[in-house]
Amino acid sequence: MSDILIRPATQADAAILSEIERKSPLVLGGESFSIDRGDDYFAASRLMEEVTVLLAEVDGEPAGAFGGALHRTVLGGVERSMLYYHHSRILPRFQDHGVGRKLAAAIREHYAGRFDCSYWYISPANEHSLGFARAAPNKWTFGPALLSLDTVALSGPPAGRA
């Protein structure tokens, strides 16, 4: 693998991010499917608190994306700062070459010292992502948790059709 550049994605990268997601299908057991976020890649993140999306480029070519969202919640009666990993995709030809690990490390560095633990949702049938998660540092496991986000405070101005 050549030079891997990691940088924050901007609205100008929305089409590239959507293309990466379309061309990086989720493989769940014997099935695979792609997600198409359309023209507004960032719409799915608007109700999240503090969102960052990173873009990886290999020799100037888009190779992957990794999102992080920092939020506060209460777990077991203790207020905690949580880092949620989301919309993580690596184009198939760049998988298993360290791009995902570099993106995850860059997200952790971006939020360094500001979160108690990190998490993401992975289907039990998604073996590739499960392997990636098992190799992650600082694992903290617990059972199901109900997390509460103040969506009214995060909603911003009205959007869409009434």
Side-chain angles (χ1 to χ4, degrees):
M1 188 73 21
S2 299
D3 188 34
I4 301 172
L5 171 72
I6 307 292
R7 66 173 177 82
T10 68
Q11 190 63 44
D13 296 311
I16 292 167
L17 295 167
S18 289
E19 183 176 346
I20 288 170
E21 196 159 39
R22 280 191 303 274
K23 292 184 175 180
S24 305
L26 294 170
V27 179
L28 307 175
E31 303 292 323
S32 68
F33 69 94
S34 295
I35 296 172
D36 186 349
R37 297 198 187 277
D39 295 333
D40 191 357
Y41 176 86
F42 293 97
S45 302
R46 289 217 173 82
L47 290 180
M48 296 181 194
E49 290 185 36
E50 185 181 326
V51 177
T52 299
V53 177
L54 299 179
L55 177 63
E57 297 174 344
V58 175
D59 294 331
E61 182 182 354
F66 208 103
L70 190 67
H71 66 91
R72 302 213 45 90
T73 194
V74 176
L75 288 175
V78 177
E79 187 171 321
R80 301 202 183 267
S81 181
M82 308 289 286
L83 176 56
Y84 167 49
Y85 298 124
H86 63 93
H87 304 158
S88 304
R89 297 289 188 279
I90 311 300
L91 287 170
R93 71 181 173 279
F94 295 110
Q95 291 178 4
D96 300 318
H97 294 287
V99 174
R101 284 185 296 281
K102 282 196 168 212
L103 280 163
I107 283 284
R108 284 191 303 273
E109 183 178 316
H110 176 79
Y111 292 108
R114 298 176 52 208
F115 64 97
D116 298 308
C117 79
S118 57
Y119 69 99
W120 57 92
Y121 300 107
I122 302 172
S123 167
N126 187 338
E127 284 300 323
H128 196 91
S129 292
L130 286 172
F132 181 81
R134 286 184 192 110
N138 305 322
K139 289 181 215 41
W140 178 39
T141 59
F142 57 92
L146 174 62
L147 305 180
S148 178
L149 300 174
D150 185 354
T151 56
V152 172
L154 299 171
S155 65
R161 288 182 276 175

